[in-house]
Amino acid sequence: MQFERDERKFDFHDIGREIKRKREASGMTQEQLACIIDRDPRTVMYHENDGQHPSLNIFYQLVTRFDISVDQFFYPDMSAGDACKKRINIMLSSMDEKDLRLVETIIRSIKEAKETEEA
């Protein structure tokens, strides 16, 4: 079996802009974020504005702090509905049975309301 080298390069600019947008929306400065992730404020600026790739650990801290789904950046061809279902599934996997029953009741109520609307 022959393998080919993967020459793709990930462009971090879009995720950097989303991090900046979410940071600003939260009222946080680059200096505050830099302190939280233990980096220099210039490093935060480079990630946000210049598309500089952070380490995996810093990347994880940034996207989880600002609740950024990376699916839209890593899988641009994935439909919004599929991405949403994937995020919901991840959240469901962390719930206990009581919470899952509540979610099930909410979904049933939504479905019943839609069926009533359509009738």
Side-chain angles (χ1 to χ4, degrees):
M1 179 185 272
Q2 188 173 7
F3 296 98
E4 291 183 28
R5 184 182 192 114
D6 188 343
E7 299 291 338
R8 294 176 297 173
K9 302 288 184 209
F10 184 73
D11 183 352
F12 196 78
H13 284 92
D14 289 338
I15 294 180
R17 282 190 286 273
E18 182 66 4
I19 291 167
K20 181 178 184 174
R21 188 183 72 73
K22 295 274 189 141
R23 176 187 56 74
E24 289 175 341
S26 74
M28 187 183 298
T29 66
Q30 286 180 338
E31 290 78 15
Q32 291 168 326
L33 178 57
C35 183
I36 291 168
I37 63 172
D38 194 26
R39 292 294 181 266
D40 189 271
R42 286 178 298 182
T43 302
V44 172
M45 181 193 69
Y46 294 145
H47 295 322
E48 290 181 349
N49 300 326
D50 297 339
Q52 183 181 70
H53 295 157
S55 69
L56 183 57
N57 186 50
I58 296 300
F59 177 73
Y60 176 77
Q61 289 179 36
L62 292 169
V63 298
T64 56
R65 169 161 300 278
F66 297 115
D67 195 28
I68 297 170
S69 172
V70 296
D71 283 350
Q72 63 184 322
F73 304 105
F74 287 178
Y75 307 105
D77 297 332
M78 181 185 287
S79 73
D82 288 342
C84 184
K85 288 175 188 175
K86 187 174 179 182
R87 288 191 305 273
I88 290 170
N89 196 33
I90 291 168
M91 289 186 274
L92 290 174
S93 67
S94 67
M95 294 183 169
D96 61 20
E97 187 173 344
K98 181 181 174 187
D99 293 338
L100 289 170
R101 288 180 192 268
L102 176 61
V103 170
E104 182 180 22
T105 301
I106 292 168
I107 291 170
R108 281 200 176 122
S109 297
I110 292 169
K111 286 182 73 173
E112 289 171 4
K114 287 183 84 172
E115 289 169 359
T116 303
E117 248 179 43
E118 292 171 359

